[in-house]
Amino acid sequence: MVNWENKIKALFHDPIVKAYDIKGHERIAKELLEILNLEYSRGDEDILSSSMDRMPLPFERSKKRLKLNLDDLSCVKHPMSASDLKIDFPESSTVFNELRKKISEIKNINNDKEKLFHALWWHLPDLAECSSFLPADTRFANHSIIDHLESTSALAGCVKKDSFDGSLISLSIGPVQTFISAARKTKDLWAGSYILSKLTYAAIEYIGKNYGFDSVIFPSVRNTAFVKDTLDKIGVSLIDIGKLPDPSKKVASLPNRLVAVVPSDEAKDILHEASENVRKTWHKMYDTNLKGKEAIDNTYLEKQLNTFPKIYTASQRILNPDKLVRVVKAFYKDSDIDKELENLIRLYKEFHAFEPNKGSFYKDVFRLLRSKTDATKSLRTFDYFEDSSSSNGKIVDGDDWSSDMKAIYEFTEVDNEGDEKTDRLNTVNAVKRSFAEKNSEYFPSVDDFAEKNKNSLEKIMNQFDKQIKKFNNSYYAILVMDGDKMGQWISGLKAPKIEDIIEDSGNNSIIKKLINKDESFPKELKEFLYNRSTIQPSYHRTVSRTLNIFSTLVE
């Protein structure tokens, strides 16, 4: 059972405003927790989270340890591009007062610790001005304090009897392309994408309600309509900050997969329950949208319905470095994780860095999880499928858009010219159609697109005083937008190197000077540090959050 109080403590073990006052940040954290009637504490989850999100900086345990304030930074770094972000941070007194006021307001309307945690997590980026840009560590300012706090509270949920034992889990839903492409109308396309998002959220909701939405590393779910509805249903009270518009309920903002961190001893049960939640949600969609509609023959209806979705799950324990090295080397001949561990141990013993721990190799744990997921998908199980749906003794025609399933539902509509048109669909496609008709607003038909295309082209060509007749046509176009090289982004192949995220100007450049000019610091260790990729939980949260925000902008 999750200790929600400990998760709140972890969520505020560092104050959001830490960068303003590095030396006094613990005092500020204690003050904020006092508002919540909680005592300050800091556990192993902070050490693990720091190791996941930060570079192994040398001299951390010596007098050479560097501490840089926010004023020492000329910029913060974008987590994905490492480009400079010039942020005008407000005065500290204004930010501190705003933070205290909002925390107090949230606490006063959420007396239950579980509900209080959900409310604090939801509002975390909005508790102080520009908090999403405030760095967790000013020495390499490529990730937000918000992401660090979220990772820390997620790891705290995996601590039992003062010992951390967590696993990364993944769940994905398919098939994606065939499910979406089996569309005859624009509203079918919308419904296909939206239903996949809704089913993914069914798994996320189980994890979020029982372990905290902070546990979900990918995708980013804060400020989505799905989570907002869940928080409302379970009685979480939110304050009106008014900085962001209410999340749209029309946008299919979630991908078909998730990655989360959960207690290892519960990982198997969590994946099972999350999968069951997906199946129940799919059947509820049928009950809500299609059950009252009469089928031509319902003999194989249930069988058709159960062909979708396919759910793939995997888990990977976050292991101690020594054991992880053995596992990784056994599976990946190209991995140099053993050399990485040697370098980290050398930094620890000879150059006063922190000792490597379970959090030091997040990228390798994530790689193992991805490989397990891919292997699971490649092992296809095929159930014998027979569909002899009939009408008046004659076998019903198949749904041309979906394998061997018969078209047992009819949908009749009147087109723009008053003619009736009937689509015959199998149960899976019929759920999409009925869901779209009951839940969506007006979607232009392909004929409407064609007419708009013709009229728009005519206006454009008239501007150039050219004949338009030869351009008249009834063709239409559908714009398909897909994130380029998403696999490389998620896997971290396109993640910045550490050297790129250490600012090379102003006071922060002393990090490089300290390493470069220290004659006792070996060149090979310097190259090792600088060339490490910034594949971190915060990086994955940023990739997903960016996609999520983009999806709302192109609605």
Side-chain angles (χ1 to χ4, degrees):
M1 186 173 181
V2 173
N3 188 320
W4 297 102
E5 182 173 311
N6 285 346
K7 285 178 70 71
I8 295 174
K9 290 180 180 179
L11 199 64
F12 285 86
H13 78 279
D14 281 340
I16 295 173
V17 293
K18 177 181 178 179
Y20 281 98
D21 188 354
I22 304 296
K23 292 182 179 179
H25 78 275
E26 286 193 8
R27 172 186 53 79
I28 300 170
K30 291 176 182 178
E31 179 186 340
L32 297 179
L33 284 168
E34 283 179 6
I35 297 175
L36 299 169
N37 295 329
L38 295 174
E39 293 184 1
Y40 176 83
S41 65
R42 184 188 294 258
D44 288 344
E45 63 273 4
D46 177 39
I47 298 173
L48 297 176
S49 178
S50 296
S51 297
M52 286 182 177
D53 278 334
R54 304 174 191 176
M55 67 176 280
L57 194 64
F59 313 115
E60 277 286 79
R61 298 178 295 112
S62 72
K63 293 181 179 180
K64 292 183 179 180
R65 183 182 183 185
L66 300 174
K67 286 188 177 182
L68 301 178
N69 290 318
L70 191 62
D71 292 340
D72 295 320
L73 290 179
S74 62
C75 65
V76 296
K77 294 287 186 174
H78 193 285
M80 294 169 63
S81 67
S83 58
D84 295 349
L85 299 175
K86 305 289 185 179
I87 308 296
D88 292 326
F89 291 106
E91 292 292 328
S92 60
S93 58
T94 303
V95 176
F96 285 21
N97 291 334
E98 181 184 10
L99 184 58
R100 296 185 188 99
K101 179 181 177 182
K102 289 178 180 176
I103 290 176
S104 179
E105 188 176 349
I106 293 171
K107 192 267 178 186
N108 290 338
I109 58 177
N110 289 281
N111 295 321
D112 177 87
K113 290 290 191 299
E114 180 178 346
K115 294 175 182 177
L116 177 59
F117 172 80
H118 288 309
L120 290 170
W121 168 82
W122 175 266
H123 286 306
L124 196 62
D126 304 313
L127 295 179
E129 191 74 25
C130 295
S131 58
S132 292
F133 297 100
L134 284 170
D137 193 314
T138 48
R139 296 167 298 183
F140 26 95
N142 72 316
H143 64 288
S144 166
I145 184 69
I146 302 300
D147 289 327
H148 172 62
L149 296 176
E150 196 166 9
S151 292
T152 307
S153 64
L155 296 180
C158 303
V159 175
K160 296 183 179 180
K161 297 181 180 179
D162 297 325
S163 178
F164 172 84
D165 189 6
S167 291
L168 292 185
I169 62 171
S170 71
L171 183 149
S172 58
I173 298 169
V176 175
Q177 297 299 334
T178 54
F179 182 69
I180 294 178
S181 62
R184 304 187 185 188
K185 295 180 178 292
T186 51
K187 59 186 173 185
D188 295 342
L189 287 171
W190 172 84
S193 295
Y194 196 90
I195 287 173
L196 282 170
S197 277
K198 194 171 179 66
L199 293 179
T200 301
Y201 181 70
I204 291 172
E205 183 180 51
Y206 175 80
I207 298 171
K209 287 170 65 175
N210 293 282
Y211 298 88
F213 288 99
D214 57 320
S215 299
V216 181
I217 296 174
F218 183 91
S220 172
V221 294
R222 186 185 279 108
N223 201 45
T224 63
F226 294 123
V227 175
K228 180 69 162 51
D229 286 347
T230 296
L231 297 183
D232 288 341
K233 289 175 184 176
I234 63 178
V236 176
S237 298
L238 304 176
I239 61 176
D240 183 15
I241 293 180
K243 291 187 177 180
L244 292 174
D246 289 334
S248 172
K249 294 186 177 183
K250 287 180 57 182
V251 176
S253 58
L254 301 179
N256 69 313
R257 65 184 62 198
L258 68 89
V259 174
V261 57
V262 300
S264 293
D265 62 346
E266 300 179 51
K268 183 177 179 180
D269 290 336
I270 291 171
L271 287 172
H272 173 75
E273 292 300 326
S275 298
E276 285 301 302
N277 225 34
V278 173
R279 295 186 182 96
K280 289 176 183 177
T281 301
W282 171 242
H283 280 262
K284 185 177 180 180
M285 287 183 183
Y286 165 78
D287 291 339
T288 303
N289 299 288
L290 192 60
K291 194 170 184 178
K293 186 175 178 63
E294 185 176 352
I296 295 173
D297 180 2
N298 61 11
T299 305
Y300 297 91
L301 189 157
E302 192 75 15
K303 198 167 187 177
Q304 288 190 5
L305 187 66
N306 289 335
T307 60
F308 180 83
K310 302 293 184 184
I311 303 173
Y312 308 94
T313 62
S315 66
Q316 174 58 52
R317 205 180 207 119
I318 302 173
L319 300 169
N320 285 318
D322 288 339
K323 187 172 183 179
L324 182 66
V325 167
R326 292 195 297 270
V327 173
V328 170
K329 291 298 289 185
F331 283 97
Y332 307 110
K333 300 305 179 184
D334 64 334
S335 175
D336 57 356
I337 187 174
D338 51 341
K339 295 179 181 178
E340 284 194 63
L341 181 57
E342 289 177 7
N343 285 330
L344 291 177
I345 292 174
R346 188 178 176 188
L347 282 167
Y348 164 63
K349 291 183 176 180
E350 298 180 26
F351 298 97
H352 308 288
F354 285 121
E355 185 176 9
N357 56 50
K358 288 183 177 181
S360 303
F361 293 96
Y362 169 81
K363 64 181 179 64
D364 297 281
V365 177
F366 184 77
R367 185 182 184 186
L368 283 169
L369 182 72
R370 278 179 61 91
S371 295
K372 286 185 176 182
T373 303
D374 293 342
T376 302
K377 288 183 176 181
S378 66
L379 298 174
R380 301 295 179 93
T381 56
F382 296 92
D383 297 324
Y384 174 70
F385 184 85
E386 178 186 8
D387 189 347
S388 301
S389 301
S390 61
S391 177
N392 298 322
K394 183 180 179 181
I395 299 296
V396 177
D397 290 338
D399 185 333
D400 295 336
W401 295 87
S402 198
S403 67
D404 297 325
M405 286 188 283
K406 305 303 181 184
I408 61 174
Y409 283 99
E410 293 185 344
F411 290 82
T412 302
E413 293 184 4
V414 178
D415 62 20
N416 294 336
E417 297 179 0
D419 297 326
E420 285 191 354
K421 182 179 180 181
T422 299
D423 280 338
R424 294 177 176 84
L425 309 173
N426 63 49
T427 306
V428 174
N429 289 333
V431 171
K432 286 194 297 184
R433 176 65 61 83
S434 57
F435 180 86
E437 290 179 346
K438 291 189 177 183
N439 293 277
S440 67
E441 298 178 9
Y442 169 73
F443 280 88
S445 69
V446 291
D447 293 332
D448 292 334
F449 277 124
E451 187 63 28
K452 288 181 179 180
N453 177 50
K454 175 182 175 181
N455 294 337
S456 298
L457 185 59
E458 184 173 354
K459 291 179 180 178
I460 293 172
M461 296 306 295
N462 283 341
Q463 292 179 4
F464 296 95
D465 195 27
K466 294 182 179 181
Q467 295 294 321
I468 191 63
K469 290 185 178 180
K470 62 180 179 180
F471 294 101
N472 284 343
N473 62 76
S474 58
Y475 290 101
Y476 57 90
I478 295 176
L479 176 63
V480 177
M481 303 184 72
D482 189 17
D484 193 22
K485 300 180 181 177
M486 284 308 304
Q488 293 183 32
W489 281 108
I490 298 300
S491 67
L493 290 176
K494 297 181 75 66
K497 304 293 184 183
I498 285 178
E499 185 176 22
D500 298 328
I501 58 109
I502 299 178
E503 189 185 1
D504 202 19
S505 61
N507 292 334
N508 207 18
S509 64
I510 62 177
I511 294 176
K512 287 187 176 181
K513 290 178 181 178
L514 181 62
I515 296 175
N516 293 348
K517 292 186 177 182
D518 193 307
E519 295 181 358
S520 64
F521 198 80
K523 179 180 179 182
E524 63 270 19
L525 279 184
K526 181 184 74 173
E527 292 178 352
F528 162 72
L529 285 176
Y530 287 171
N531 289 324
R532 290 194 96 200
S533 294
T534 55
I535 306 171
Q536 310 152 328
S538 58
Y539 168 80
H540 283 135
R541 294 182 194 276
T542 300
V543 172
S544 175
R545 186 164 53 240
T546 303
L547 292 172
N548 195 350
I549 293 172
F550 176 75
S551 69
T552 64
L553 296 176
V554 296
E555 176 189 353

